[in-house]
Amino acid sequence: MTDAAPTPEPEPAAQSWKVTLPCTRAEAEALDGDIAAFALMDRPPVLMTSEAAPDDEESWRLEAYFEGQPSSAAIKLLRSLVPSAAGVRPQVEQLPDEDWVTLSQQGLEPVTAGRFHVRNLASDPERPGHVNFLIEASRAFGTGQHETTAGCLIMLDRMRRVGMRFGNVADIGTGTGLLAFAALHLWPRTYATASDIDPVAVEISAANAAANGIATGKGQGQIALYTAAGVDHPAIITRAPYDLLIANILAGPLIELAPSLCALVEEGGTIVLAGLLKEQADAVLAAYRAQGMRLAERTDRGDWPTLRLRKRPRIGWKRPTRLDGNARGEAPGFGSL
């Protein structure tokens, strides 16, 4: 008998780096939101601005957190965002093995989107008259700060205000679970399914559900959480068809997943898409129109559109009833935004 092959060592996690540059208050305010050029990167940095001196209102600093050592091109792009620092050498430093996403997100301002108010710190007060969620800074993205997340919250809120009703909802690429939580609040008797390619995100979604009093499970008014690439999970497929499916990821996986996502939506059902840039909207829409979807509504927040699509009814032999068993519904390498 031959000896078993040794178990390969896991690849080390990417080291965290920070780049710091001085900037003016006006430049810092102009960076409020997400930078389109960085969004095209596989691992975009998290940008934070703060006052550099308490007695100088015009003196600010820009800190960019990178997963992995930043390239010269990334640093050059960062410098272009703060022209006042043209003659300043950026401070580039490797960080200790700490949770850099959490560190970079600490102290974020609460976000109000439609009826929802999202706090990132337990010490932040709730906002009266709103649905308050606590999504603390964590290793998963989706705290409500990103324009795409806020855009989805506003879209869901508007759909409820005009009387739309849903009973079976899926959130693909859920991140922190926030959008699934919002859908459960709006339609409390729905069956909710949420998935992410990253098992850490699924763990964090479960913790966030507990922190916000949201039940996990497979019944009405509960959220069922799964780790899956795209919709490649038997439970996600079995729980279909969905009358509402949300996917806030990136344009590439949105296009790649179009056939499998659309196959899981019932006739007349709704898909809400986000995570794409304005210049990517036509390509994404073309992929979904080819699957029998039509654009029902579009809203833009800066460079980030949110799309609401409706599935056209089909008749005869073309009518889909279940996801093709040969279609795995994967988008390897892609996770939540």
Side-chain angles (χ1 to χ4, degrees), residues 103-175:
L103 291 174
S104 66
Q105 290 180 349
Q106 286 175 348
L108 295 177
E109 291 295 322
V111 170
T112 301
R115 73 184 67 191
F116 301 105
H117 183 70
V118 184
R119 300 175 297 137
N120 301 127
L121 295 173
S123 58
D124 289 333
E126 294 188 351
R127 184 166 185 175
H130 287 71
V131 179
N132 289 272
F133 288 122
L134 174 61
I135 306 293
E136 293 189 300
S138 67
R139 293 166 291 169
F141 288 96
T143 59
Q145 300 292 327
H146 199 288
E147 294 289 351
T148 61
T149 308
C152 286
L153 290 172
I154 292 171
M155 180 68 76
L156 294 174
D157 178 61
R158 182 157 49 248
M159 289 160 58
R160 180 63 179 84
R161 290 185 188 279
V162 299
M164 299 179 71
R165 298 287 189 272
F166 301 103
N168 195 17
V169 176
D171 179 15
I172 306 301
T174 192

Side-chain angles (χ1 to χ4, degrees), residues 131-337:
V131 179
N132 289 272
F133 288 122
L134 174 61
I135 306 293
E136 293 189 300
S138 67
R139 293 166 291 169
F141 288 96
T143 59
Q145 300 292 327
H146 199 288
E147 294 289 351
T148 61
T149 308
C152 286
L153 290 172
I154 292 171
M155 180 68 76
L156 294 174
D157 178 61
R158 182 157 49 248
M159 289 160 58
R160 180 63 179 84
R161 290 185 188 279
V162 299
M164 299 179 71
R165 298 287 189 272
F166 301 103
N168 195 17
V169 176
D171 179 15
I172 306 301
T174 192
T176 61
L178 174 59
L179 297 181
F181 302 162
L184 266 175
H185 172 83
L186 296 172
W187 300 284
R189 295 184 60 80
T190 193
Y191 294 87
T193 303
S195 69
D196 201 284
I197 192 173
D198 184 359
V200 171
V202 175
E203 293 174 5
I204 290 170
S205 293
N208 286 337
N212 288 277
I214 297 167
T216 56
K218 299 179 181 179
Q220 276 186 316
Q222 298 177 327
I223 180 172
L225 295 166
Y226 302 101
T227 301
V231 296
D232 185 32
H233 194 290
I236 297 175
I237 296 171
T238 300
R239 290 168 69 89
Y242 303 98
D243 50 9
L244 172 62
L245 188 147
I246 308 161
N248 178 22
I249 40 181
L250 296 171
L254 285 178
I255 292 171
E256 184 175 349
L257 289 170
S260 54
L261 293 182
C262 294
L264 292 183
V265 176
E266 67 180 24
E267 291 186 8
T270 296
I271 293 182
V272 173
L273 302 178
L276 58 147
L277 293 162
K278 281 183 177 179
E279 57 266 30
Q280 298 167 329
D282 288 344
V284 172
L285 282 170
Y288 284 79
R289 286 184 174 125
Q291 302 300 320
M293 306 296 297
R294 67 174 180 84
L295 179 63
E297 184 179 2
R298 170 177 173 170
T299 61
D300 288 35
R301 290 176 61 86
D303 292 322
W304 306 92
T306 303
L307 310 176
R308 177 169 66 87
L309 303 107
R310 188 100 182 265
K311 190 169 187 177
R312 299 177 185 274
R314 296 186 182 183
I315 59 174
W317 63 270
K318 292 184 178 180
R319 180 174 180 173
T321 57
R322 183 69 67 182
L323 180 67
D324 184 348
N326 295 321
R328 291 175 55 81
E330 291 184 351
F334 298 107
S336 57
L337 183 62

Side-chain angles (χ1 to χ4, degrees), residues 25 82 128 163 244:
R25 180 176 180 175
V82 286
L244 172 62

